[in-house]
Amino acid sequence: MKGYVHVYTGNGKGKTTASLGLAVRALGAGKKVYIGQFAKSKHYSELVTIDKLLTDITLKQYGMGCFIFDKPKEEDIQAAQQGLKDAIAAIESDKYDLIILDEANIAIHYSLFSAANLIEALNRRNERTEIVITGRYACQEIIDYADLVTEMKEVKHYYQQGVQARVGIEK
Ligand code: ATP
Ligand code: MG
């Protein structure tokens, strides 16, 4: 079965959780899943789920997670570059049917690596591998490269009323 490249972008809620939903579906079909989370270091509840309940899934985090309000520091760049390296290793290992690069669009947006770097990595995949790239601000090169692009559009979000990320819902 041929694999395709998905992009989940836009400023509405549901990008990361859509990718996790796809992972759950893929695991049920006996597929192996790799998730690299960029620009994230904080605790997300899905880490516990994966740890306690799921097998055949690998999740790694790369990032200090706080530069978004600031300029990326050298360690943010190093972390993202390591994440890209590990993603390339996962792609080349041919061990995974679904590879999710969560917030990779953010990494590109903040110049932690380039769209060309990511495309070069994706070009190394086996044609059966399904890839998902998430994050706001997907750039044109990535949109052009993808086979499927979904934009989550924010119609309303309680964030606008000052509701911060809640455990089990946003994190
Ligand atoms: P989910 O993980 O729930 O699927 P997502 O991946 O679509 O969401 P991200 O773009 O990764 O969402 O957003 C991460 C966090 O940013 C959210 O947890 C939320 O608290 C916060 N957020 C939501 N809307 C905004 C906004 N308009 N501006 C800034 N931050 C926001
Ligand atoms: Mg997200």
Side-chain angles (χ1 to χ4, degrees):
M1 190 172 85
K2 180 175 157 41
Y4 292 95
V5 177
H6 310 206
V7 172
Y8 306 152
T9 191
N11 56 3
K13 178 173 168 68
K15 302 172 288 294
T16 296
T17 47
S19 71
L20 294 171
L22 187 62
V24 167
R25 177 176 286 168
L27 290 166
K31 294 181 186 293
K32 305 255 187 303
V33 180
Y34 176 91
I35 306 179
Q37 292 193 322
F38 293 92
K40 281 185 173 173
S41 59
K42 283 180 286 183
H43 181 80
Y44 285 84
S45 303
E46 56 262 34
L47 303 182
V48 181
T49 313
I50 288 168
D51 222 38
K52 290 207 175 143
L53 301 176
L54 302 176
T55 51
D56 291 334
I57 182 163
T58 302
L59 187 150
K60 295 186 184 178
Q61 282 193 326
Y62 306 92
M64 308 306 135
C66 47
F67 69 85
I68 307 290
F69 306 102
D70 224 334
K71 195 172 148 337
K73 296 184 210 50
E74 187 51 37
E75 64 221 51
D76 296 311
I77 297 168
Q78 289 304 327
Q81 301 259 345
Q82 185 60 49
L84 186 62
K85 245 192 217 167
D86 289 356
I88 292 170
I91 286 167
E92 289 188 330
S93 75
D94 210 12
K95 277 202 282 197
Y96 301 99
D97 307 291
L98 171 63
I99 294 185
I100 296 170
L101 304 176
D102 186 36
E103 314 300 350
N105 289 329
I106 294 289
I108 293 169
H109 182 74
Y110 287 95
S111 304
L112 306 182
F113 50 75
S114 69
N117 292 154
L118 180 57
I119 287 170
E120 203 179 297
L122 298 183
N123 281 337
R124 300 180 191 212
R125 76 190 185 283
N126 185 297
E127 63 170 0
R128 294 185 312 276
T129 311
E130 197 88 10
I131 306 273
V132 176
I133 298 162
T134 86
R136 290 157 191 247
Y137 320 127
C139 67
Q140 197 58 50
E141 289 127 289
I142 296 297
I143 288 171
D144 290 344
Y145 185 86
D147 302 296
L148 177 154
V149 180
T150 296
E151 182 176 7
M152 308 312 187
K153 181 178 183 301
E154 182 184 304
V155 176
K156 263 191 185 180
H157 196 307
Y158 37 67
Y159 184 86
Q160 308 302 348
Q161 301 169 31
V163 180
Q164 298 295 320
R166 292 167 301 152
V167 175
I169 306 294
E170 276 84 34
K171 65 183 183 186

